Amino acid sequence: MTGGRPITGPRIVARRDSDWAALTDLWVAAWRRTYADIDFEARRDWLKNHIVQLEHGGARTLLLLEGAGRILVGFVTVDPASHWLDQLCVHPERFGSGAAEALIEAARSLSPARLRLDVNQDNERAIAFYEREGFVRIGEGRPSLAGRPTLIMEWSSAAAPA
């Protein structure tokens, strides 16, 4: 214990309405680090509306929190029915920390048979991460909101090593 409070490790929890400000702040910071030329600040409302629409269709948004103060490290949005992983986002100060791997595991708990996603073809860091996590390229996707070409990638429990 520190200062009378227990030390709390990372945990996965469902998104609550009170999490929107922290979630959009994190999303803007992460994408700004990846694509500095795009104004993600202007897309905050788009993100919130997009996630709300996905959740109304059955998707779930899970947060990776640390500490007793609910420090948001990252989040993932997955539709278990379609197996679609729509959002995976980690705070840029936590890139390479294992947070993304924890969020992938959370996504797999929601969709244990398979996961599909699209990723910008020029986002080499993300593509390398997904490949390390067992995702394979299965085709080209529709252009991203920014007009960038995308790849469709898939992870399948049947293809995963035992």
Side-chain angles (χ1 to χ4, degrees):
M1 295 188 54
T2 306
R5 289 190 287 166
I7 297 172
T8 306
R11 64 195 184 285
I12 301 287
V13 300
R15 184 199 59 74
R16 302 179 309 185
D17 286 342
S18 60
D19 296 317
W20 280 120
L23 186 148
T24 57
D25 286 349
L26 183 146
W27 184 82
V28 168
W31 280 108
R32 185 178 288 148
R33 173 78 59 89
T34 303
Y35 293 110
D37 61 318
I38 298 174
D39 182 8
F40 289 98
E41 187 68 41
R43 295 183 180 181
R44 285 176 182 268
D45 288 340
W46 171 87
L47 176 68
K48 182 177 178 182
N49 293 333
H50 180 66
I51 291 176
V52 166
Q53 181 180 7
L54 291 171
E55 290 176 347
H56 282 196
R60 303 221 9 239
T61 301
L62 302 177
L63 310 180
L64 176 61
L65 303 175
E66 285 186 344
R70 289 183 51 96
I71 299 166
L72 181 60
V73 175
F75 71 94
V76 64
T77 302
V78 177
D79 183 338
S82 68
H83 311 288
W84 193 257
L85 190 159
D86 190 83
Q87 298 287 318
L88 176 69
C89 194
V90 172
H91 194 283
E93 291 177 3
R94 299 302 303 274
F95 286 178
S97 70
E101 290 85 345
L103 289 164
I104 285 289
E105 286 307 309
R108 288 177 177 146
S109 74
L110 294 176
S111 181
R114 73 173 178 223
L115 289 168
R116 281 192 175 174
L117 57 86
D118 61 355
V119 59
N120 291 338
Q121 288 182 18
D122 63 353
N123 192 343
E124 295 174 11
R125 182 184 52 80
I127 292 168
F129 166 75
Y130 290 125
E131 287 175 339
R132 283 191 308 274
E133 288 297 313
F135 285 77
V136 295
R137 301 171 194 210
I138 61 169
E140 292 190 9
R142 291 180 286 148
S144 69
L145 190 59
R148 287 177 156 81
T150 64
L151 296 171
I152 303 293
M153 299 185 78
E154 180 178 76
W155 167 84
S156 169
S157 62

